[in-house]
Amino acid sequence: MNHTTMPSLQERYRKTKERLEAFGQSHILTFWESLDDSRRENLLAQCETLPLELLKREIAASPETNTKSPFSIVDIQPVSIVRSHLLDTAKYLALGEKMISSGRVACCTVAGGQGTRLGWNGPKGTFPATPLLQKPLFQVFAESILAARRRWHGNIPWYLMTSPLNHQATQDFFREHNWFELGEKTVRFFAQGTLPSLSLDGKILLASHDSIALNPDGHGGAIRALAASGSLAEMQREGVDTLSYFQVDNPLVKAVDPLFLGLHTAHPESSSEVSSKVVAKRDPSEKVGVFCRLHNRTVVLEYSDLPAHLAEATHHDGGLIHSAGSIAIHAFSRDFLQRIADDGHGLPLHRALKKVASIDLSSGIVIEPTSPNAIKMEAFIFDAVPIARQSMVFETRRDEEFAPIKNADGEDSAATSQRAQSERAARWMESCGIKLPRDEEGGECSATIELSPLTALDAAELAQCANLPHNVAIGAKIVL
Ligand code: UTP
């Protein structure tokens, strides 16, 4: 915009105030008079991009979190699950490999979360994840992609979603590590959007006198952000039509899995729009989303939405009827994501009651709440699943592909994930005929093994590795 036509600060203030008043949110400007020009600029810039229409709809729908399941239990049916032992895997594998080598596949990792449970100071992808060398999560994925490129000779660009809160720190980290040998052009950062946190009566909260309390708009924000950043258009120009999607917290993920990609593209149960990997739930109370059928659509229900008696229902053999636990690994077609982005409605927003520090309007000071005081809204990527004409659900092995780092300790922590990484490497070594020390048949391996994806992406590739050890002592530490 030309400087002579740029509206003055006062003019922008007037318009913003009018707009905020119309939506009952003008309290955001409470401290305007006490701000200097640069802080006024700050606040206006945030106000001008507020999705007030959307917020109004959300607040009108229900000001508080919706804790009641919106689904009628009679509607919920089990989902059909594709399992590899019933398949002609060679055919799908060959197809997936061809997709990769012809440059049709990109990776997409969502790394914009705040990692509050882990309590790590910095982007979660910088967290030291591997059992011996403590390589950060980002490096594990980078090595997987590099190894896949070497093996299948595809380009495999990597789209990495950050949030405005960690965008700079994430980029700096990659630069400091020379993009983990992938090359600067391969790693493509795009920032997700944010949404304001609301008080329980639907008012936008302030983080300071000149800033709104914003939270990233959830992993579901990836679709809008991929479109808005020009990433989908870039993929189209480059001939990428399929995305391998995964989260930043699971170091066991196969970043590029040709079998899954081949199934996504050609299996009769897939419309090639979105496919998902699942693992059998550990037990009825495991807190993971569950794939089900609802009104003739495949959906993911949050664990709290699946009634207990359905969660506990079993087949004759004792297996859970609703066993398909979501592990947030998907294949998406680029066209499908573009269609959702173009639709304009976006994915539905979910609300969660959270503790959010915010400014008390009468005293002007920050209040650190001791109990949840705010509603955070987020979109979830799995809400794309029912939008697809048909959506394939493929079961994989938890011990091969899923060991997330979510918590500082206990379940799904670095300790449990590192054990799982080491155990997987141990199983692969044993399949190569190497004897490893175990307490008992089937018990835990007493050695700790760190296996880089650059050494082997699977057990068969490990078998070709020339320098595998043959005598492994109790408690040994092995880096491969
Ligand atoms: P989680 O649901 O585990 O959330 O994210 P989180 O923010 O990382 O952790 P907590 O809940 O604060 O402890 C699952 C995945 O989705 C990404 C995360 O980075 C992680 O890969 N995510 C989540 C985003 O990219 N953006 C978001 O707004 C939320």
Side-chain angles (χ1 to χ4, degrees):
M1 195 180 291
N2 182 322
H3 276 284
T4 52
T5 59
M6 187 123 66
S8 69
L9 212 55
Q10 272 313 319
E11 179 61 11
R12 285 169 63 201
Y13 169 73
R14 197 185 54 72
K15 281 204 173 131
T16 301
K17 187 158 181 276
E18 241 169 54
R19 194 165 155 258
L20 290 174
E21 273 167 357
F23 287 91
Q25 301 286 3
S26 58
H27 63 280
I28 297 175
L29 300 170
T30 303
F31 303 101
W32 179 262
E33 293 305 329
S34 65
L35 302 176
D36 63 24
D37 275 1
S38 90
R39 297 182 76 196
R40 286 179 170 181
E41 175 62 48
N42 238 359
L43 187 58
L44 282 184
Q46 289 192 11
C47 290
E48 285 165 350
T49 56
L50 277 176
L52 291 170
E53 287 288 352
L54 174 87
L55 293 177
K56 188 177 160 194
R57 276 202 307 274
E58 286 299 319
I59 295 162
S62 148
E64 295 218 18
T65 50
N66 209 341
T67 48
K68 238 176 95 229
S69 167
F71 310 112
S72 155
I73 50 169
V74 289
D75 299 333
I76 300 172
Q77 303 294 329
V79 77
S80 155
I81 299 177
V82 175
R83 294 184 168 91
S84 60
H85 66 274
L86 302 173
L87 289 171
D88 172 8
T89 50
K91 170 178 121 187
Y92 295 110
L93 191 61
L95 175 61
E97 288 176 345
K98 190 142 182 269
M99 288 169 69
I100 302 165
S101 60
S102 53
R104 289 174 53 193
V105 177
C107 287
C108 176
T109 306
V110 284
Q114 293 174 298
T116 27
R117 284 169 288 172
L118 187 59
W120 174 246
N121 188 15
K124 209 190 230 185
T126 64
F127 185 82
T130 63
L132 294 171
L133 300 180
Q134 301 283 293
K135 286 181 193 164
L137 284 158
F138 283 139
Q139 183 172 357
V140 177
F141 308 134
E143 289 185 0
S144 263
I145 294 169
L146 198 55
R149 273 163 79 161
R150 287 182 186 161
R151 184 152 161 192
W152 293 296
H153 311 292
N155 183 32
I156 323 181
W158 185 16
Y159 288 88
L160 225 130
M161 186 169 86
T162 61
S163 85
L165 312 181
N166 68 15
H167 189 74
Q168 193 57 50
T170 305
Q171 283 189 313
D172 291 349
F173 187 77
F174 272 83
R175 190 170 304 107
E176 279 154 26
H177 290 86
N178 195 28
W179 294 273
F180 298 106
E181 311 301 327
L182 281 171
E184 190 177 350
K185 289 208 171 83
T186 297
V187 191
R188 303 168 183 186
F189 304 93
F190 65 105
Q192 67 181 113
T194 52
L195 285 169
S197 302
L198 302 176
S199 66
L200 300 187
D201 56 357
K203 298 287 182 207
I204 293 172
L205 294 174
L206 286 177
S208 69
H209 290 194
D210 64 337
S211 67
I212 292 166
L214 295 168
N215 62 273
D217 61 358
H219 37 67
I223 300 181
R224 198 156 55 120
L226 276 168
S229 61
S231 305
L232 291 180
E234 181 180 63
M235 287 176 210
Q236 185 169 24
R237 283 196 303 279
E238 294 181 1
V240 169
D241 61 14
T242 306
L243 265 81
S244 171
Y245 168 102
F246 52 92
Q247 299 192 156
V248 77
D249 48 25
N250 177 21
L252 275 197
V253 70
K254 291 184 183 176
V256 187
D257 179 359
L259 174 60
F260 183 50
L261 292 164
L263 287 167
H264 166 73
T265 300
H267 190 273
E269 286 192 27
S270 170
S271 65
S272 310
E273 291 179 321
V274 49
S275 304
S276 310
K277 281 190 184 174
V278 297
V279 295
K281 273 181 73 176
R282 271 200 204 106
D283 56 65
S285 62
E286 187 182 1
K287 291 183 175 169
V288 289
V290 183
F291 281 77
C292 301
R293 292 286 288 173
L294 189 70
H295 306 144
N296 287 326
R297 296 261 155 191
T298 299
V299 298
V300 182
L301 295 187
E302 289 186 79
Y303 62 87
S304 48
D305 280 339
L306 187 65
H309 75 279
L310 289 184
E312 284 159 14
T314 53
H315 294 292
H316 291 305
D317 65 1
L320 293 176
I321 290 178
H322 293 284
S323 67
S326 172
I327 53 173
I329 299 174
H330 306 280
F332 287 109
S333 89
R334 187 202 68 231
D335 283 347
F336 176 63
L337 298 182
Q338 187 71 61
R339 178 154 69 84
I340 297 176
D342 289 346
D343 169 53
H345 293 294
L347 300 178
L349 292 176
H350 296 248
R351 302 135 192 243
L353 268 181
K354 299 268 175 171
K355 286 194 261 180
V356 173
S358 66
I359 296 283
D360 173 58
L361 294 181
S362 43
S363 66
I365 56 173
V366 179
I367 306 287
E368 291 285 347
T370 49
S371 58
N373 63 323
I375 300 167
K376 276 190 179 181
M377 285 172 294
E378 290 188 330
F380 295 158
I381 195 76
F382 54 69
D383 282 325
V385 169
I387 299 174
R389 286 193 300 281
Q390 208 179 321
S391 169
M392 186 197 63
V393 175
F394 176 60
E395 187 178 274
T396 186
R397 277 176 57 175
R398 181 191 293 264
D399 59 359
E400 286 285 305
E401 299 194 42
F402 186 57
I405 301 176
K406 298 255 181 216
N407 303 312
D409 40 44
E411 217 173 76
D412 294 341
S413 60
T416 57
S417 177
Q418 288 172 8
R419 197 63 245 157
Q421 292 171 56
S422 177
E423 279 297 326
R424 180 177 75 174
R427 279 195 310 280
W428 290 5
M429 286 175 75
E430 285 169 330
S431 78
C432 300
I434 296 160
K435 179 108 184 64
L436 294 176
R438 290 193 184 269
D439 315 339
E440 60 200 51
E441 185 67 22
E444 207 168 81
C445 176
S446 81
T448 305
I449 306 157
E450 172 154 344
L451 172 62
S452 164
L454 290 168
T455 303
L457 284 170
D458 52 35
E461 197 170 28
L462 188 63
Q464 291 155 27
C465 179
N467 48 3
L468 292 180
H470 282 280
N471 296 312
V472 176
I474 293 172
K477 296 189 189 324
I478 301 166
V479 176
L480 290 168

